[in-house]
Amino acid sequence: MTGVRAVALLAVSVLAWTQLAFCGPDLNPIADYCSLFRQMSREDRRALRSAVQAVQSLSSLVAQAKWGRLPEYANMTQQLEAWLAGNKTIVQQRDTSGKALSCLSSRLDRMAFQSRPMFSIMLNYFKSMATSCGGSGMGCEAVVNVDNPHEADEWAAVTLQSKGFVVPVFSSNVHETRGYNRAAKVARGKLLVVWQDDQIAPESPKWVHDLVKVFDAYPQLAIIGMNTYRLCKHLEGTNRWGAPDYWLPDPKTGVRWTYAQNVDFAPLVVRAVAYSALGGLDEGFSRSGDCGIWGDWELCNRAWMDGWQTGFMFMEGRQGDGHAGGTHTGGNAEKCWGRQQLVTSSGFTKRYGTQLLQDELCGKVWDLNMRSFTLADPNDPKKCPYGSEGLTRFANCTKPA
């Protein structure tokens, strides 16, 4: 870019910035034609909009499947047509005017359209996920924030060799929080998996299928952690690890998991629409190049505050690569686990640390768990995750009325 062009672009950018407050769409467009839908309750309008979006996306899927352009849907044509017919019925029942397909199409649900992968694995470096996730049949991509741009030639070769499975995003030492946020903007998956470079995925793709089952069955669930977790942050002395085998498998999905107040990096899986709605990880707690410690808990608490839910599911077979992570060695350890932990934990406490709020969040998680799951051994008080015998010094395992 020449100097003249750079200056001109800067001038236009500054001018646009000074007028941002006055920009925006007309909040009452096509007033007569679409007036019916503004008179609906917010819940009815949302339900109708969802059905309209489903009709549009399913129409696209059915057409592409019939033309053989989506081989993964080749055996699902009848099911897709049934879903399409069901959503068309909803639209017809709720909209006698026949105008909904026009008036409620102003906001596209990008996640409803193919061909988008189910999973986007977001890494700040790369070790192959092709077998574990790529072999699941779900559609996966690995979006890698490459913090070392001098490796561009090597990453171009990896991208070519992987046939598009690896999607590199080049930066320069933006590191954890900014790296994941940047990767999320490029990712096309419906579920975003925060993955770290010292982890090796299990060969079996069972974890991928289990995640889809749980996210499909629980639409308010925004985050599932797969590392460590707490049911109640301020009343547990340490993080929990391993499968939550105090519950029987979830009767809706057959998967063993639990609601949790906080879950840790990584892996940590976030519904893409929730990640976008929540604004991603908070970059205000760290400088470029710093680790993202406490950013996971902050995101979880922000999700709870916004009406979303957080859970935990253990990933069987995940291993480390045998080497200490970059934030656990040399001066980086003190920078991350000393200074940065102090900075971010202090910010977290100011934002969410009041006893009243923490008690309510613990109570909400407890209520969801007790209503959703059944104790694996109700006769053994030590198998209850709550109360005086459990790790969580909060409540008990008596089901709420």
Side-chain angles (χ1 to χ4, degrees):
M1 179 180 287
T2 67
V4 174
R5 287 181 181 174
V7 172
L9 180 59
L10 177 62
V12 171
S13 298
V14 172
L15 178 62
W17 175 257
T18 61
Q19 298 191 22
L20 266 182
F22 306 101
C23 297
D26 182 353
L27 298 180
N28 190 34
I30 324 298
D32 294 332
Y33 189 80
C34 295
S35 60
L36 169 66
F37 305 103
R38 283 188 290 277
Q39 297 170 11
M40 286 183 169
S41 68
R42 184 171 62 177
E43 291 74 17
D44 286 344
R45 188 167 56 250
R46 182 182 299 164
L48 183 53
R49 187 190 297 275
S50 296
V52 166
Q53 296 281 333
V55 168
Q56 294 173 337
S57 60
L58 286 166
S59 296
S60 172
L61 281 176
V62 169
Q64 292 187 71
K66 285 182 175 179
W67 282 98
R69 294 182 176 178
L70 298 174
E72 64 268 34
Y73 287 94
N75 299 321
M76 293 182 59
T77 304
Q78 289 186 340
Q79 179 67 68
L80 292 171
E81 289 179 333
W83 289 339
L84 175 58
N87 280 282
K88 282 184 175 179
T89 299
I90 293 174
V91 172
Q92 291 166 357
Q93 290 174 342
R94 292 176 176 263
D95 171 36
T96 57
S97 70
K99 299 176 181 178
L101 287 174
S102 298
C103 293
L104 298 182
S105 293
S106 58
R107 298 178 185 175
L108 207 59
D109 181 3
R110 297 175 299 150
M111 290 302 165
F113 287 85
Q114 283 303 107
S115 55
R116 283 183 176 268
M118 178 61 73
F119 287 89
S120 291
I121 314 295
M122 304 192 305
L123 304 92
N124 273 314
Y125 210 68
F126 173 71
K127 287 186 174 65
S128 177
M129 290 285 295
T131 300
S132 187
C133 187
S136 67
M138 290 285 183
C140 294
E141 64 179 5
V143 183
V144 187
N145 176 65
V146 182
D147 252 355
N148 303 311
H150 62 273
E151 299 175 352
D153 289 347
E154 298 170 46
W155 282 102
V158 169
T159 303
L160 178 63
Q161 185 180 14
S162 71
K163 298 180 180 179
F165 175 73
V166 175
V167 182
V169 180
F170 293 97
S171 58
S172 184
N173 195 33
V174 298
H175 202 44
E176 201 162 23
T177 298
R178 290 162 180 78
Y180 288 131
N181 280 348
R182 181 166 292 180
K185 291 177 181 178
V186 175
R188 302 179 70 249
K190 299 176 182 178
L191 299 174
L192 308 179
V193 184
V194 174
W195 195 271
Q196 293 179 334
D197 64 338
D198 57 353
Q199 300 171 339
I200 300 175
E203 290 188 9
S204 169
K206 181 179 183 299
W207 65 279
V208 174
H209 294 279
D210 286 348
L211 281 168
V212 172
K213 289 177 185 176
V214 175
F215 274 111
D216 275 351
Y218 295 88
Q220 284 186 291
L221 196 61
I223 301 169
I224 293 182
M226 305 185 83
N227 184 23
T228 60
Y229 67 104
R230 292 196 188 189
L231 300 178
C232 179
K233 173 197 168 288
H234 67 306
L235 294 176
E236 286 179 317
T238 187
N239 292 347
R240 291 174 177 267
W241 164 264
D245 53 7
Y246 37 82
W247 308 130
L248 292 175
D250 169 24
K252 282 187 179 182
T253 63
V255 177
R256 195 187 298 273
W257 69 284
T258 184
Y259 287 100
Q261 182 189 349
N262 293 334
V263 294
D264 287 340
F265 293 148
L268 184 145
V269 187
V270 190
R271 197 185 295 269
V273 292
Y275 197 92
S276 176
L278 293 168
L281 294 168
D282 191 333
E283 298 181 12
F285 284 135
S286 63
R287 300 173 302 181
S288 183
D290 287 337
C291 74
I293 193 168
W294 279 75
D296 38 19
W297 282 17
E298 195 282 329
L299 182 65
C300 290
N301 280 256
R302 191 159 15 112
W304 284 111
M305 299 299 291
D306 198 47
W308 296 93
Q309 298 164 351
T310 296
F312 172 83
M313 186 180 83
F314 184 64
M315 181 188 287
E316 197 73 46
R318 176 173 64 93
Q319 302 177 42
D321 64 0
H323 303 285
T327 59
H328 289 75
T329 56
N332 287 334
E334 173 56 30
K335 289 179 183 178
C336 181
W337 296 89
R339 182 186 61 79
Q340 191 56 39
Q341 175 158 246
L342 176 63
V343 170
T344 314
S345 64
S346 299
F348 177 95
T349 301
K350 290 176 182 177
R351 197 174 282 183
Y352 306 113
T354 64
Q355 179 86 24
L356 191 63
L357 173 58
Q358 288 296 312
D359 283 346
E360 185 169 348
L361 287 172
C362 289
K364 188 173 185 65
V365 173
W366 172 83
D367 188 75
L368 285 166
N369 277 329
M370 297 310 301
R371 293 183 188 278
S372 302
F373 306 116
T374 300
L375 284 169
D377 188 352
N379 297 318
D380 185 352
K382 293 185 178 180
K383 294 295 179 67
C384 167
Y386 291 101
S388 59
E389 299 285 344
L391 181 63
T392 306
R393 308 300 185 188
F394 182 85
N396 53 49
C397 282
T398 303
K399 281 193 174 290

